[in-house]
Amino acid sequence: MDHITLKDLEKQIIINKHQKRSRKDSVQTKMDHFVQGDNVQIIQTNEFGIVYKGPDGLGNYIVQVKGEKVSINQKRMKLYIAAKELYPDDYDFDIIFQSKENRKKSTMLSKKHVEDIVIDHQE
């Protein structure tokens, strides 16, 4: 039988730790990561929406579906059309996600200060 030294045992423990980490990393890279503007399909309802924000710590994205912002887990969506195929690089997503009234207010406020104007950001 081979005599195993303490140093050999420590090396093997370090190698095993590294292998566990690399397996976790490979699992995370297999998950879909969506960016703002991606057109996604919600698998359960077969509806389509546009990614607004995300992901949070649990993998939930805020997706705009039929004018409403809904929180949906990444496992329940699949990519339909990527944002880079739909929009130019410098596209202003406020056109999609903000109301026309809020965009007008922010334009007025960027030009000059106007009393009693409040922009409602709904999420």
Side-chain angles (χ1 to χ4, degrees):
M1 293 189 119
D2 291 338
H3 179 63
I4 301 174
T5 64
L6 185 60
K7 197 170 193 174
D8 292 336
L9 188 59
E10 288 174 354
K11 285 180 183 178
Q12 187 61 40
I13 291 171
I14 291 171
I15 290 170
N16 289 344
K17 284 182 182 178
H18 178 69
Q19 287 176 345
K20 286 180 185 178
R21 282 190 203 136
S22 63
R23 271 189 246 137
K24 287 179 185 177
D25 293 341
S26 66
V27 169
Q28 287 178 347
T29 56
K30 290 180 183 178
M31 292 183 173
D32 291 329
H33 292 285
F34 305 105
V35 295
Q36 184 180 39
D38 279 349
N39 191 338
V40 293
Q41 181 180 12
I42 292 96
I43 297 169
Q44 295 169 318
T45 60
N46 234 7
E47 294 178 318
F48 294 94
I50 299 175
V51 174
Y52 176 60
K53 268 190 190 177
D56 61 6
L58 300 174
N60 295 322
Y61 287 82
I62 297 176
V63 179
Q64 183 168 322
V65 181
K66 296 183 181 177
E68 294 184 18
K69 294 181 178 77
V70 184
S71 178
I72 301 174
N73 191 279
Q74 66 186 4
K75 295 177 189 174
R76 305 197 187 304
M77 320 185 279
K78 65 179 181 179
L79 183 65
Y80 187 66
I81 303 173
K84 61 183 174 185
E85 294 178 24
L86 289 173
Y87 311 105
D89 293 335
D90 58 345
Y91 188 75
D92 182 18
F93 285 104
D94 284 346
I95 295 170
I96 299 171
F97 300 120
Q98 299 297 325
S99 68
K100 184 177 178 181
E101 180 181 316
N102 282 350
R103 289 196 323 262
K104 281 186 175 184
K105 287 179 182 178
S106 64
T107 303
M108 283 192 331
L109 288 175
S110 68
K111 293 179 181 177
K112 62 180 178 178
H113 176 71
V114 181
E115 295 286 330
D116 301 328
I117 289 187
V118 178
I119 300 174
D120 297 326
H121 292 285
Q122 298 174 355
E123 292 188 27

